[in-house]
Amino acid sequence: MSAAYFLFYGRLNDFLPRDQREQRITIDFYGRQSIKHLAESLGVPHPEIGQIQVNSQEGTLGTITQDGDQVELHPILNGCPVEPRFVLDNHLGRLTAYLRMLGFDCLYQIDYEDEELAEIAQREERILLSRDRRLLMRKVVTYGYCLRSLDSIEQVKEVIQRFDLTKRIIPFHRCLRCNHLLESVEKEAVLDRLEPLTKLYFDEFQICPACKQIYWKGSHYEKMEKLIEQVRASDTE
Ligand SMILES: [Zn+2]
């Protein structure tokens, strides 16, 4: 049997039990094991891992661990290596709506299987968002993030911060129901579908070309402005 020593930095410690945080962990193993495999056996999904050092030399997730190796793992740096497009796990409906509110392209379906989610992430180069570490540990997942919070507003803040998206927010731009980009529409064209008060108080409308949902700067909009304020405030904290 071989042994290696793993030390995780920063927010990678979120995945470890309290008594293993911020300290060198001894891992016993047999045969050829990659750093990815051993890190994940400790609970840390590979898309969260950035720089790796093995005995002070640069290593990768695929590096085969040798007996006596000292492995240091840093969290991936904040920023977005690809277009900020997402695919979200089944339990993240509210986060999906909030991210769409901020203009981000989010695929979401309540009945995606884990395998499907991972495949979509790979095929479309989307970032997989989930709270399920096992899902994020799948080999085909390159870009992913494990949400720490259970609260959907906090989750939005996490995603914006992790992928450095504050400057890329384009509000009032995407359908909350189906992810399509909205188009402007003349008030006359949708008049028969508006409630009397909406007719009275609003003149600018947008429509989703796919599901025909109509949007105006009413209650949705106020909610969205509040969300953006919260997100921007947390970014400067
Ligand atoms: Zn739509």
Side-chain angles (χ1 to χ4, degrees):
M1 187 159 61
S2 310
Y5 310 93
F6 275 49
L7 178 60
F8 293 92
Y9 287 93
R11 60 172 185 257
L12 294 181
N13 284 281
D14 297 349
F15 300 106
L16 301 174
R18 288 195 189 280
D19 60 349
Q20 290 190 331
R21 290 181 188 170
E22 312 282 352
Q23 56 185 291
R24 223 163 270 287
I25 304 165
T26 305
I27 311 181
D28 297 321
F29 63 97
Y30 289 101
R32 283 170 60 85
Q33 303 288 353
S34 65
I35 287 178
K36 172 187 184 292
H37 180 82
L38 294 181
E40 291 188 335
S41 73
L42 293 168
V44 182
H46 72 271
E48 296 272 344
I49 299 171
Q51 201 190 17
I52 298 170
Q53 277 146 357
V54 185
N55 309 318
S56 306
Q57 306 281 318
E58 199 177 323
T60 67
L61 288 166
T63 302
I64 300 300
T65 319
Q66 309 293 332
D67 188 33
D69 274 354
Q70 303 274 349
V71 183
E72 300 192 6
L73 302 103
H74 296 262
I76 196 158
L77 297 175
N78 286 345
C80 204
V82 284
E83 270 301 293
R85 295 155 63 244
F86 301 94
V87 55
L88 288 87
D89 201 353
N90 303 347
H91 52 283
L92 298 172
R94 293 187 70 173
L95 176 62
T96 301
Y98 287 142
L99 288 174
R100 284 177 182 163
M101 236 181 235
L102 300 178
F104 296 106
D105 179 345
C106 292
L107 284 191
Y108 173 78
Q109 256 175 242
I110 202 133
D111 57 352
Y112 279 144
E113 301 283 338
D114 278 6
E115 194 173 347
E116 241 178 322
L117 284 163
E119 261 175 32
I120 292 168
Q122 182 193 28
R123 192 176 58 234
E124 300 190 15
E125 240 188 23
R126 285 178 180 268
I127 299 162
L128 178 56
L129 300 178
S130 179
R131 281 185 48 81
D132 175 0
R133 290 191 234 178
R134 292 279 146 212
L135 172 58
L136 291 165
M137 286 177 189
R138 285 175 179 251
K139 214 171 181 172
V140 297
V141 177
T142 308
Y143 307 109
Y145 175 74
C146 185
L147 297 148
R148 306 321 198 246
S149 180
L150 285 166
D151 177 84
S152 40
I153 296 283
E154 289 305 313
Q155 291 174 341
V156 181
K157 292 180 189 172
E158 284 181 37
V159 173
I160 297 295
Q161 193 169 45
R162 163 67 186 82
F163 297 100
D164 192 17
L165 298 175
T166 311
K167 290 195 179 71
R168 304 179 81 151
I169 292 172
I170 310 174
F172 211 50
H173 159 80
R174 193 175 288 278
C175 182
L176 303 188
R177 296 210 306 203
C178 74
N179 200 43
H180 245 269
L181 293 176
L182 302 178
E183 291 173 358
S184 299
V185 63
E186 293 295 327
K187 188 175 181 178
E188 288 69 39
V190 292
L191 207 56
D192 58 334
R193 292 180 53 201
L194 303 177
E195 298 290 333
L197 285 178
T198 312
K199 255 185 228 177
L200 195 60
Y201 290 117
F202 298 94
D203 290 313
E204 281 178 42
F205 295 89
Q206 289 188 288
I207 192 165
C208 170
C211 75
K212 307 297 176 196
Q213 174 81 17
I214 301 168
Y215 292 86
W216 62 94
K217 294 191 175 182
S219 56
H220 266 323
Y221 191 75
E222 277 166 30
K223 205 173 162 190
M224 187 191 66
E225 285 198 313
K226 209 174 144 207
L227 174 70
I228 294 171
E229 251 171 58
Q230 280 177 293
V231 167
R232 293 217 163 112
S234 75
D235 193 45
T236 52
E237 267 166 19

